[in-house]
Amino acid sequence: MKSSGQSQKEKPSKQRQTQPKISDHASILAVAPPLANASTMTDASALDISAIIREVSKNIGEVMEQKLSKFSDTLDKITSRLDDQSKRIGEAEQRVSNVEDQLATMERRLKEMEKCSAGMAQRLDEGENRSRRDNIRILNFKENAEGNNSIQFFESWLPTALGLSTAKGRIKIDRAHRSFGPKGNRPRPVIIKLHNSRDKMKILSAAKKAQNLEYAGSPIYIAQDLSLAVREKRRSFNDVCQKLLDKKIRFVMRYPARLVVNYRGSEHTFENAYEAQTFVDGSLE
């Protein structure tokens, strides 16, 4: 019993030991620092955030300013280059325009020169043919068959071969020679200049009427001596002339190279072989 009573007496003493004393609270308040209130903490945080924002804004502004400065420099360089290119393009366009004007002038002058050249070529060809108006050409006459004196040979051979009557049995010839050029498989034409122009017409008429004119076994052809340009143009009518001969239609080749066809009582004149060929193929079938 004693023990239990003693324990009950001890319990209150323990409870008194666990409760702090007033003096202890005073000491704690004296040692601990004063705590900031809620409004003070909020103001401090706002100031810090504002400072951070200002710093970030400043940094961003500096970076943007640097970037924009570089971009502005690049734009200035591009603008300068564009201005230079625009200037060069303008100069190039002006030069092209000048060249086009010069070309137009040159084309006009070239056409005038071509026209003048064609007229001069025509007059030159006409002059050449006039200088040949008393000439004849003997084709397929063997080389060296005339001997050393070609004038004397042809003066006597022509009236004999063609059956021409002359006062002295001869036709007066001023010149007789082979055409210029190298010797080949075919004999070179003999060009003869007659002294009298009337003898030319007699010889050509007799040669046209002669049948199987030949010398030393070779067929001989006598034609008017013309310039190369006229001969080439007349040669272009060969196929048409052959068709006309096959159809027994009369035609004549007039100077310089005009084909005149007599068909059904009418004369048809052609300046080029194409027109004549079209007429023969379309009208004479």
Side-chain angles (χ1 to χ4, degrees):
M1 294 296 291
K2 186 179 180 179
S3 60
S4 60
Q6 190 178 356
S7 61
Q8 290 177 356
K9 291 179 180 180
E10 291 176 355
K11 287 180 181 180
S13 63
K14 289 180 179 181
Q15 291 177 355
R16 287 192 298 265
Q17 289 177 0
T18 58
Q19 294 178 357
K21 296 180 180 181
I22 296 174
S23 59
D24 293 335
H25 287 287
S27 62
I28 291 172
L29 291 175
V31 175
L35 296 177
N37 56 27
S39 61
T40 304
M41 292 178 64
T42 302
D43 294 339
S45 299
L47 292 174
D48 293 340
I49 292 172
S50 298
I52 292 172
I53 291 173
R54 285 195 298 272
E55 186 68 23
V56 171
S57 300
K58 180 180 179 182
N59 294 335
I60 292 174
E62 292 177 354
V63 172
M64 291 296 293
E65 185 176 357
Q66 293 177 359
K67 297 294 184 181
L68 289 175
S69 177
K70 293 180 180 180
F71 184 69
S72 178
D73 293 340
T74 304
L75 284 179
D76 291 339
K77 292 179 180 179
I78 293 174
T79 302
S80 178
R81 291 181 181 179
L82 287 177
D83 292 339
D84 184 58
Q85 292 295 330
S86 178
K87 182 178 179 181
R88 292 184 179 182
I89 291 173
E91 293 175 353
E93 289 178 348
Q94 184 62 41
R95 289 195 295 269
V96 169
S97 178
N98 295 337
V99 171
E100 288 178 349
D101 294 340
Q102 293 177 359
L103 284 176
T105 303
M106 292 177 65
E107 287 179 357
R108 184 174 62 256
R109 294 181 61 185
L110 180 60
K111 290 181 180 179
E112 293 175 355
M113 293 179 65
E114 287 178 348
K115 184 178 179 180
C116 181
S117 177
M120 292 178 62
Q122 184 177 0
R123 289 193 295 272
L124 180 63
D125 188 66
E126 184 178 356
E128 182 180 355
N129 285 296
R130 285 182 179 275
S131 68
R132 296 169 181 259
R133 64 181 180 272
D134 295 331
N135 295 359
I136 60 172
R137 295 168 69 90
I138 301 178
L139 308 176
N140 206 39
F141 203 89
K142 288 185 177 180
E143 293 278 349
N144 302 321
E146 66 275 19
N148 295 328
N149 194 334
S150 57
I151 294 177
Q152 184 177 357
F153 175 84
F154 286 109
E155 281 182 343
S156 60
W157 180 81
L158 280 171
T160 301
L162 298 174
L164 297 175
S165 59
T166 59
K168 298 180 181 180
R170 304 174 71 86
I171 293 178
K172 190 173 182 179
I173 295 175
D174 291 339
R175 291 189 302 272
H177 60 85
R178 295 279 178 174
S179 64
F180 298 106
K183 294 182 180 180
N185 296 329
R186 299 181 62 181
R188 293 171 298 172
V190 178
I191 300 175
I192 296 176
K193 185 180 186 307
L194 300 168
H195 184 74
N196 297 317
S197 59
R198 287 177 294 181
D199 291 338
K200 171 186 173 182
M201 301 307 300
K202 292 179 181 179
I203 292 172
L204 293 177
S205 179
K208 186 176 181 180
K209 294 177 182 178
Q211 298 292 331
N212 301 323
L213 183 63
E214 61 180 30
Y215 181 81
S218 298
I220 303 300
Y221 306 97
I222 300 176
Q224 184 178 2
D225 184 35
L226 299 168
S227 66
L228 178 61
V230 174
R231 292 201 307 271
E232 290 292 336
K233 190 172 181 180
R234 287 193 172 195
R235 193 175 292 119
S236 65
F237 287 93
N238 285 349
D239 293 340
V240 179
C241 293
Q242 186 60 49
K243 289 183 179 181
L244 293 173
L245 289 173
D246 295 340
K247 295 178 180 296
K248 297 181 180 181
I249 297 175
R250 296 178 59 185
F251 66 91
V252 63
M253 184 68 69
R254 292 179 180 171
Y255 179 83
R258 292 195 302 270
L259 180 65
V260 181
V261 179
N262 192 334
Y263 181 66
R264 293 182 179 179
S266 300
E267 287 189 353
H268 304 270
T269 304
F270 304 99
E271 297 289 341
N272 58 74
Y274 177 77
E275 293 177 356
Q277 187 70 50
T278 303
F279 173 79
V280 171
D281 293 340
S283 302
L284 304 184
E285 295 296 338

